PDB file of all heavy atoms in Angstrom:
ATOM      1  N   LYS Z   9     -15.810  10.140  -6.569  1.00 99.00           N
ATOM      2  CA  LYS Z   9     -14.847  11.220  -6.373  1.00 99.00           C
ATOM      3  C   LYS Z   9     -13.459  10.815  -6.914  1.00 99.00           C
ATOM      4  O   LYS Z   9     -13.222   9.648  -7.255  1.00 99.00           O
ATOM      5  CB  LYS Z   9     -14.777  11.546  -4.874  1.00 99.00           C
ATOM      6  CG  LYS Z   9     -16.116  12.070  -4.309  1.00 99.00           C
ATOM      7  CD  LYS Z   9     -15.986  12.362  -2.816  1.00 99.00           C
ATOM      8  CE  LYS Z   9     -17.296  12.852  -2.227  1.00 99.00           C
ATOM      9  NZ  LYS Z   9     -17.155  13.179  -0.780  1.00 99.00           N
ATOM     10  N   TYR Z  49     -20.937  22.228  -3.491  1.00 98.00           N
ATOM     11  CA  TYR Z  49     -20.758  22.173  -2.041  1.00 98.00           C
ATOM     12  C   TYR Z  49     -21.095  23.497  -1.365  1.00 98.00           C
ATOM     13  O   TYR Z  49     -20.556  23.811  -0.294  1.00 98.00           O
ATOM     14  CB  TYR Z  49     -19.324  21.751  -1.713  1.00 98.00           C
ATOM     15  CG  TYR Z  49     -19.076  20.257  -1.854  1.00 98.00           C
ATOM     16  CD1 TYR Z  49     -18.052  19.764  -2.654  1.00 98.00           C
ATOM     17  CD2 TYR Z  49     -19.868  19.331  -1.165  1.00 98.00           C
ATOM     18  CE1 TYR Z  49     -17.817  18.396  -2.767  1.00 98.00           C
ATOM     19  CE2 TYR Z  49     -19.642  17.968  -1.285  1.00 98.00           C
ATOM     20  CZ  TYR Z  49     -18.611  17.497  -2.077  1.00 98.00           C
ATOM     21  OH  TYR Z  49     -18.384  16.147  -2.181  1.00 98.00           O
ATOM     22  N   GLU Z  51     -23.447  24.469   0.455  1.00 98.00           N
ATOM     23  CA  GLU Z  51     -23.916  24.373   1.854  1.00 98.00           C
ATOM     24  C   GLU Z  51     -22.754  24.319   2.851  1.00 98.00           C
ATOM     25  O   GLU Z  51     -22.947  24.569   4.045  1.00 98.00           O
ATOM     26  CB  GLU Z  51     -24.808  23.132   2.046  1.00 98.00           C
ATOM     27  CG  GLU Z  51     -24.056  21.832   1.870  1.00 98.00           C
ATOM     28  CD  GLU Z  51     -24.876  20.579   2.187  1.00 98.00           C
ATOM     29  OE1 GLU Z  51     -25.436  20.489   3.283  1.00 98.00           O
ATOM     30  OE2 GLU Z  51     -24.950  19.694   1.311  1.00 98.00           O
ATOM     31  N   HIS Z  52     -21.550  23.959   2.360  1.00 98.00           N
ATOM     32  CA  HIS Z  52     -20.401  23.824   3.264  1.00 98.00           C
ATOM     33  C   HIS Z  52     -19.474  25.039   3.232  1.00 98.00           C
ATOM     34  O   HIS Z  52     -18.427  25.037   3.890  1.00 98.00           O
ATOM     35  CB  HIS Z  52     -19.613  22.567   2.923  1.00 98.00           C
ATOM     36  CG  HIS Z  52     -20.407  21.309   3.112  1.00 98.00           C
ATOM     37  ND1 HIS Z  52     -20.976  20.965   4.320  1.00 98.00           N
ATOM     38  CD2 HIS Z  52     -20.767  20.322   2.238  1.00 98.00           C
ATOM     39  CE1 HIS Z  52     -21.630  19.813   4.182  1.00 98.00           C
ATOM     40  NE2 HIS Z  52     -21.529  19.406   2.936  1.00 98.00           N
ATOM     41  N   LYS Z  55     -17.028  26.499   6.158  1.00 98.00           N
ATOM     42  CA  LYS Z  55     -16.596  25.488   7.132  1.00 98.00           C
ATOM     43  C   LYS Z  55     -15.084  25.261   7.005  1.00 98.00           C
ATOM     44  O   LYS Z  55     -14.510  25.489   5.943  1.00 98.00           O
ATOM     45  CB  LYS Z  55     -17.364  24.176   6.919  1.00 98.00           C
ATOM     46  CG  LYS Z  55     -18.858  24.320   7.217  1.00 98.00           C
ATOM     47  CD  LYS Z  55     -19.605  23.003   7.058  1.00 98.00           C
ATOM     48  CE  LYS Z  55     -21.103  23.231   7.249  1.00 98.00           C
ATOM     49  NZ  LYS Z  55     -21.924  22.084   6.847  1.00 98.00           N
ATOM     50  N   PRO Z  56     -14.448  24.798   8.090  1.00 98.00           N
ATOM     51  CA  PRO Z  56     -12.984  24.653   8.071  1.00 98.00           C
ATOM     52  C   PRO Z  56     -12.471  23.728   6.967  1.00 98.00           C
ATOM     53  O   PRO Z  56     -11.368  23.909   6.466  1.00 98.00           O
ATOM     54  CB  PRO Z  56     -12.654  24.065   9.446  1.00 98.00           C
ATOM     55  CG  PRO Z  56     -13.892  24.132  10.257  1.00 98.00           C
ATOM     56  CD  PRO Z  56     -15.049  24.466   9.378  1.00 98.00           C
ATOM     57  N   PHE Z  57     -13.277  22.734   6.587  1.00 98.00           N
ATOM     58  CA  PHE Z  57     -12.811  21.761   5.595  1.00 98.00           C
ATOM     59  C   PHE Z  57     -13.163  22.152   4.159  1.00 98.00           C
ATOM     60  O   PHE Z  57     -12.831  21.420   3.223  1.00 98.00           O
ATOM     61  CB  PHE Z  57     -13.363  20.371   5.918  1.00 98.00           C
ATOM     62  CG  PHE Z  57     -14.876  20.269   5.909  1.00 98.00           C
ATOM     63  CD1 PHE Z  57     -15.583  20.024   4.736  1.00 98.00           C
ATOM     64  CD2 PHE Z  57     -15.593  20.410   7.100  1.00 98.00           C
ATOM     65  CE1 PHE Z  57     -16.971  19.916   4.742  1.00 98.00           C
ATOM     66  CE2 PHE Z  57     -16.988  20.312   7.105  1.00 98.00           C
ATOM     67  CZ  PHE Z  57     -17.675  20.069   5.918  1.00 98.00           C
ATOM     68  N   PHE Z  58     -13.830  23.313   3.984  1.00 98.00           N
ATOM     69  CA  PHE Z  58     -14.342  23.666   2.651  1.00 98.00           C
ATOM     70  C   PHE Z  58     -13.228  23.762   1.601  1.00 98.00           C
ATOM     71  O   PHE Z  58     -13.328  23.159   0.527  1.00 98.00           O
ATOM     72  CB  PHE Z  58     -15.130  24.976   2.717  1.00 98.00           C
ATOM     73  CG  PHE Z  58     -15.716  25.395   1.394  1.00 98.00           C
ATOM     74  CD1 PHE Z  58     -16.838  24.761   0.872  1.00 98.00           C
ATOM     75  CD2 PHE Z  58     -15.142  26.423   0.658  1.00 98.00           C
ATOM     76  CE1 PHE Z  58     -17.382  25.133  -0.344  1.00 98.00           C
ATOM     77  CE2 PHE Z  58     -15.684  26.807  -0.565  1.00 98.00           C
ATOM     78  CZ  PHE Z  58     -16.798  26.172  -1.064  1.00 98.00           C
ATOM     79  N   LEU Z  61     -11.846  20.473   0.644  1.00 98.00           N
ATOM     80  CA  LEU Z  61     -12.847  19.702  -0.097  1.00 98.00           C
ATOM     81  C   LEU Z  61     -12.873  20.124  -1.577  1.00 98.00           C
ATOM     82  O   LEU Z  61     -12.909  19.270  -2.473  1.00 98.00           O
ATOM     83  CB  LEU Z  61     -14.220  19.938   0.562  1.00 98.00           C
ATOM     84  CG  LEU Z  61     -15.433  19.201   0.024  1.00 98.00           C
ATOM     85  CD1 LEU Z  61     -15.254  17.690   0.089  1.00 98.00           C
ATOM     86  CD2 LEU Z  61     -16.681  19.615   0.821  1.00 98.00           C
ATOM     87  N   PHE Z  64      -9.710  18.913  -3.267  1.00 98.00           N
ATOM     88  CA  PHE Z  64      -9.768  17.472  -3.505  1.00 98.00           C
ATOM     89  C   PHE Z  64     -10.678  17.129  -4.693  1.00 98.00           C
ATOM     90  O   PHE Z  64     -10.291  16.382  -5.598  1.00 98.00           O
ATOM     91  CB  PHE Z  64     -10.264  16.777  -2.228  1.00 98.00           C
ATOM     92  CG  PHE Z  64     -10.692  15.358  -2.406  1.00 98.00           C
ATOM     93  CD1 PHE Z  64      -9.827  14.409  -2.939  1.00 98.00           C
ATOM     94  CD2 PHE Z  64     -11.971  14.952  -2.042  1.00 98.00           C
ATOM     95  CE1 PHE Z  64     -10.232  13.086  -3.114  1.00 98.00           C
ATOM     96  CE2 PHE Z  64     -12.379  13.639  -2.211  1.00 98.00           C
ATOM     97  CZ  PHE Z  64     -11.511  12.709  -2.752  1.00 98.00           C
ATOM     98  N   ARG Z  85     -27.977   6.447  -0.271  1.00 98.00           N
ATOM     99  CA  ARG Z  85     -27.205   6.918   0.888  1.00 98.00           C
ATOM    100  C   ARG Z  85     -26.839   5.745   1.805  1.00 98.00           C
ATOM    101  O   ARG Z  85     -25.763   5.721   2.397  1.00 98.00           O
ATOM    102  CB  ARG Z  85     -27.994   7.971   1.677  1.00 98.00           C
ATOM    103  CG  ARG Z  85     -28.209   9.280   0.947  1.00 98.00           C
ATOM    104  CD  ARG Z  85     -27.047  10.225   1.045  1.00 98.00           C
ATOM    105  NE  ARG Z  85     -26.791  10.719   2.382  1.00 98.00           N
ATOM    106  CZ  ARG Z  85     -25.903  11.681   2.659  1.00 98.00           C
ATOM    107  NH1 ARG Z  85     -25.193  12.247   1.677  1.00 98.00           N
ATOM    108  NH2 ARG Z  85     -25.710  12.070   3.887  1.00 98.00           N
ATOM    109  N   ILE Z  88     -24.117   3.767   0.160  1.00 98.00           N
ATOM    110  CA  ILE Z  88     -22.868   4.543   0.281  1.00 98.00           C
ATOM    111  C   ILE Z  88     -22.297   4.442   1.692  1.00 98.00           C
ATOM    112  O   ILE Z  88     -21.093   4.286   1.859  1.00 98.00           O
ATOM    113  CB  ILE Z  88     -23.131   6.015  -0.110  1.00 98.00           C
ATOM    114  CG1 ILE Z  88     -23.373   6.123  -1.623  1.00 98.00           C
ATOM    115  CG2 ILE Z  88     -21.984   6.918   0.331  1.00 98.00           C
ATOM    116  CD1 ILE Z  88     -23.920   7.470  -2.071  1.00 98.00           C
ATOM    117  N   GLY Z  89     -23.135   4.573   2.700  1.00 98.00           N
ATOM    118  CA  GLY Z  89     -22.686   4.506   4.088  1.00 98.00           C
ATOM    119  C   GLY Z  89     -22.408   5.869   4.697  1.00 98.00           C
ATOM    120  O   GLY Z  89     -22.449   6.890   4.019  1.00 98.00           O
ATOM    121  N   ALA Z  90     -22.084   5.868   5.995  1.00 98.00           N
ATOM    122  CA  ALA Z  90     -21.875   7.116   6.739  1.00 98.00           C
ATOM    123  C   ALA Z  90     -20.726   7.932   6.147  1.00 98.00           C
ATOM    124  O   ALA Z  90     -19.805   7.376   5.539  1.00 98.00           O
ATOM    125  CB  ALA Z  90     -21.583   6.793   8.202  1.00 98.00           C
ATOM    126  N   THR Z  91     -20.799   9.257   6.381  1.00 98.00           N
ATOM    127  CA  THR Z  91     -19.816  10.184   5.797  1.00 98.00           C
ATOM    128  C   THR Z  91     -18.376   9.786   6.141  1.00 98.00           C
ATOM    129  O   THR Z  91     -17.494   9.823   5.284  1.00 98.00           O
ATOM    130  CB  THR Z  91     -20.106  11.617   6.302  1.00 98.00           C
ATOM    131  OG1 THR Z  91     -21.455  11.950   5.968  1.00 98.00           O
ATOM    132  CG2 THR Z  91     -19.163  12.618   5.668  1.00 98.00           C
ATOM    133  N   ASP Z  92     -18.146   9.412   7.391  1.00 98.00           N
ATOM    134  CA  ASP Z  92     -16.797   8.998   7.818  1.00 98.00           C
ATOM    135  C   ASP Z  92     -16.641   7.492   7.573  1.00 98.00           C
ATOM    136  O   ASP Z  92     -17.311   6.679   8.221  1.00 98.00           O
ATOM    137  CB  ASP Z  92     -16.621   9.314   9.307  1.00 98.00           C
ATOM    138  CG  ASP Z  92     -15.226   8.962   9.810  1.00 98.00           C
ATOM    139  OD1 ASP Z  92     -14.482   8.252   9.098  1.00 98.00           O
ATOM    140  OD2 ASP Z  92     -14.888   9.398  10.927  1.00 98.00           O
ATOM    141  N   ARG Z 102     -18.446   3.114   1.509  1.00 98.00           N
ATOM    142  CA  ARG Z 102     -17.433   3.783   2.337  1.00 98.00           C
ATOM    143  C   ARG Z 102     -16.909   2.855   3.430  1.00 98.00           C
ATOM    144  O   ARG Z 102     -15.722   2.885   3.767  1.00 98.00           O
ATOM    145  CB  ARG Z 102     -18.027   5.053   2.950  1.00 98.00           C
ATOM    146  CG  ARG Z 102     -18.219   6.180   1.920  1.00 98.00           C
ATOM    147  CD  ARG Z 102     -19.101   7.281   2.483  1.00 98.00           C
ATOM    148  NE  ARG Z 102     -19.140   8.475   1.643  1.00 98.00           N
ATOM    149  CZ  ARG Z 102     -19.996   9.474   1.840  1.00 98.00           C
ATOM    150  NH1 ARG Z 102     -20.895   9.416   2.817  1.00 98.00           N
ATOM    151  NH2 ARG Z 102     -19.980  10.536   1.035  1.00 98.00           N
ATOM    152  N   LEU Z 109     -12.119  10.464   6.306  1.00 98.00           N
ATOM    153  CA  LEU Z 109     -13.245  11.359   6.011  1.00 98.00           C
ATOM    154  C   LEU Z 109     -13.027  12.171   4.735  1.00 98.00           C
ATOM    155  O   LEU Z 109     -13.953  12.410   3.961  1.00 98.00           O
ATOM    156  CB  LEU Z 109     -13.434  12.286   7.219  1.00 98.00           C
ATOM    157  CG  LEU Z 109     -14.557  13.313   7.278  1.00 98.00           C
ATOM    158  CD1 LEU Z 109     -15.908  12.678   7.006  1.00 98.00           C
ATOM    159  CD2 LEU Z 109     -14.543  13.958   8.660  1.00 98.00           C
ATOM    160  N   GLY Z 110     -11.796  12.598   4.522  1.00 98.00           N
ATOM    161  CA  GLY Z 110     -11.479  13.411   3.341  1.00 98.00           C
ATOM    162  C   GLY Z 110     -11.241  12.595   2.079  1.00 98.00           C
ATOM    163  O   GLY Z 110     -10.901  13.148   1.025  1.00 98.00           O
ATOM    164  N   ARG Z 111     -11.400  11.274   2.186  1.00 98.00           N
ATOM    165  CA  ARG Z 111     -11.220  10.374   1.030  1.00 98.00           C
ATOM    166  C   ARG Z 111     -12.328   9.328   1.103  1.00 98.00           C
ATOM    167  O   ARG Z 111     -12.062   8.138   1.247  1.00 98.00           O
ATOM    168  CB  ARG Z 111      -9.842   9.689   1.072  1.00 98.00           C
ATOM    169  CG  ARG Z 111      -8.646  10.639   0.998  1.00 98.00           C
ATOM    170  CD  ARG Z 111      -8.470  11.248  -0.399  1.00 98.00           C
ATOM    171  NE  ARG Z 111      -7.277  12.092  -0.474  1.00 98.00           N
ATOM    172  CZ  ARG Z 111      -7.284  13.414  -0.232  1.00 98.00           C
ATOM    173  NH1 ARG Z 111      -8.407  14.028   0.100  1.00 98.00           N
ATOM    174  NH2 ARG Z 111      -6.171  14.111  -0.332  1.00 98.00           N
ATOM    175  N   ASN Z 112     -13.574   9.813   0.988  1.00 98.00           N
ATOM    176  CA  ASN Z 112     -14.693   8.889   1.194  1.00 98.00           C
ATOM    177  C   ASN Z 112     -15.387   8.442  -0.096  1.00 98.00           C
ATOM    178  O   ASN Z 112     -16.510   7.958  -0.079  1.00 98.00           O
ATOM    179  CB  ASN Z 112     -15.672   9.431   2.241  1.00 98.00           C
ATOM    180  CG  ASN Z 112     -16.370  10.699   1.799  1.00 98.00           C
ATOM    181  OD1 ASN Z 112     -16.169  11.168   0.676  1.00 98.00           O
ATOM    182  ND2 ASN Z 112     -17.190  11.256   2.658  1.00 98.00           N
ATOM    183  N   ILE Z 114     -17.191   8.708  -2.661  1.00 98.00           N
ATOM    184  CA  ILE Z 114     -18.443   8.838  -3.406  1.00 98.00           C
ATOM    185  C   ILE Z 114     -19.343   9.890  -2.759  1.00 98.00           C
ATOM    186  O   ILE Z 114     -19.341  10.061  -1.539  1.00 98.00           O
ATOM    187  CB  ILE Z 114     -19.142   7.453  -3.499  1.00 98.00           C
ATOM    188  CG1 ILE Z 114     -20.484   7.523  -4.225  1.00 98.00           C
ATOM    189  CG2 ILE Z 114     -19.288   6.788  -2.129  1.00 98.00           C
ATOM    190  CD1 ILE Z 114     -21.059   6.172  -4.618  1.00 98.00           C
ATOM    191  N   HIS Z 115     -20.095  10.580  -3.609  1.00 99.00           N
ATOM    192  CA  HIS Z 115     -21.106  11.537  -3.148  1.00 99.00           C
ATOM    193  C   HIS Z 115     -22.490  11.014  -3.521  1.00 99.00           C
ATOM    194  O   HIS Z 115     -22.676  10.461  -4.602  1.00 99.00           O
ATOM    195  CB  HIS Z 115     -20.894  12.898  -3.823  1.00 99.00           C
ATOM    196  CG  HIS Z 115     -22.073  13.815  -3.624  1.00 99.00           C
ATOM    197  ND1 HIS Z 115     -22.206  14.605  -2.511  1.00 99.00           N
ATOM    198  CD2 HIS Z 115     -23.197  14.016  -4.368  1.00 99.00           C
ATOM    199  CE1 HIS Z 115     -23.361  15.270  -2.584  1.00 99.00           C
ATOM    200  NE2 HIS Z 115     -23.980  14.933  -3.709  1.00 99.00           N
ATOM    201  N   GLY Z 116     -23.456  11.243  -2.647  1.00 98.00           N
ATOM    202  CA  GLY Z 116     -24.855  10.970  -2.974  1.00 98.00           C
ATOM    203  C   GLY Z 116     -25.739  12.055  -2.395  1.00 98.00           C
ATOM    204  O   GLY Z 116     -25.527  12.484  -1.251  1.00 98.00           O
ATOM    205  N   SER Z 117     -26.718  12.493  -3.156  1.00 98.00           N
ATOM    206  CA  SER Z 117     -27.627  13.551  -2.688  1.00 98.00           C
ATOM    207  C   SER Z 117     -28.294  13.123  -1.379  1.00 98.00           C
ATOM    208  O   SER Z 117     -28.641  11.954  -1.195  1.00 98.00           O
ATOM    209  CB  SER Z 117     -28.725  13.815  -3.721  1.00 98.00           C
ATOM    210  OG  SER Z 117     -28.176  14.094  -4.985  1.00 98.00           O
ATOM    211  N   ASP Z 118     -28.517  14.119  -0.483  1.00 98.00           N
ATOM    212  CA  ASP Z 118     -29.045  13.765   0.846  1.00 98.00           C
ATOM    213  C   ASP Z 118     -30.546  13.962   0.999  1.00 98.00           C
ATOM    214  O   ASP Z 118     -31.088  13.768   2.086  1.00 98.00           O
ATOM    215  CB  ASP Z 118     -28.277  14.508   1.942  1.00 98.00           C
ATOM    216  CG  ASP Z 118     -28.444  16.019   1.861  1.00 98.00           C
ATOM    217  OD1 ASP Z 118     -29.267  16.502   1.062  1.00 98.00           O
ATOM    218  OD2 ASP Z 118     -27.743  16.721   2.618  1.00 98.00           O
TER     219      ASP Z 118
HETATM  220  P1  DAT F   1     -21.868  13.505   2.759  1.00 76.90           P
HETATM  221  O1  DAT F   1     -20.856  13.426   1.639  1.00 76.90           O
HETATM  222  O2  DAT F   1     -21.983  12.205   3.501  1.00 76.90           O
HETATM  223  O3  DAT F   1     -23.201  14.058   2.309  1.00 76.90           O
HETATM  224  P2  DAT F   1     -21.394  16.120   3.977  1.00 76.90           P
HETATM  225  O4  DAT F   1     -22.364  16.670   2.980  1.00 76.90           O
HETATM  226  O5  DAT F   1     -21.636  16.444   5.411  1.00 76.90           O
HETATM  227  O6  DAT F   1     -21.268  14.532   3.837  1.00 76.90           O
HETATM  228  O7  DAT F   1     -19.927  16.625   3.625  1.00 76.90           O
HETATM  229  C1  DAT F   1     -19.489  16.679   2.273  1.00 76.90           C
HETATM  230  C2  DAT F   1     -18.096  16.127   2.199  1.00 76.90           C
HETATM  231  O8  DAT F   1     -17.190  16.969   2.915  1.00 76.90           O
HETATM  232  C3  DAT F   1     -17.943  14.758   2.847  1.00 76.90           C
HETATM  233  O9  DAT F   1     -18.246  13.719   1.939  1.00 76.90           O
HETATM  234  C4  DAT F   1     -16.493  14.738   3.265  1.00 76.90           C
HETATM  235  C5  DAT F   1     -16.219  16.179   3.581  1.00 76.90           C
HETATM  236  N1  DAT F   1     -16.344  16.454   5.018  1.00 76.90           N
HETATM  237  C6  DAT F   1     -17.479  16.543   5.730  1.00 76.90           C
HETATM  238  N2  DAT F   1     -17.248  16.823   7.015  1.00 76.90           N
HETATM  239  C7  DAT F   1     -15.893  16.938   7.120  1.00 76.90           C
HETATM  240  C8  DAT F   1     -14.993  17.221   8.206  1.00 76.90           C
HETATM  241  N3  DAT F   1     -15.440  17.458   9.435  1.00 76.90           N
HETATM  242  N4  DAT F   1     -13.681  17.231   7.919  1.00 76.90           N
HETATM  243  C9  DAT F   1     -13.206  16.998   6.675  1.00 76.90           C
HETATM  244  N5  DAT F   1     -13.999  16.728   5.607  1.00 76.90           N
HETATM  245  C10 DAT F   1     -15.323  16.700   5.828  1.00 76.90           C
END
Side-chain angles (χ1 to χ4, degrees):
K9 297 179 181 182
Y49 281 126
E51 66 174 306
H52 297 302
K55 294 182 185 168
F57 61 86
F58 181 75
L61 183 59
F64 166 56
R85 293 277 294 188
I88 289 168
T91 303
D92 182 347
R102 287 167 170 170
L109 182 53
R111 298 288 183 268
N112 65 3
I114 178 167
H115 167 86
S117 306
D118 64 8

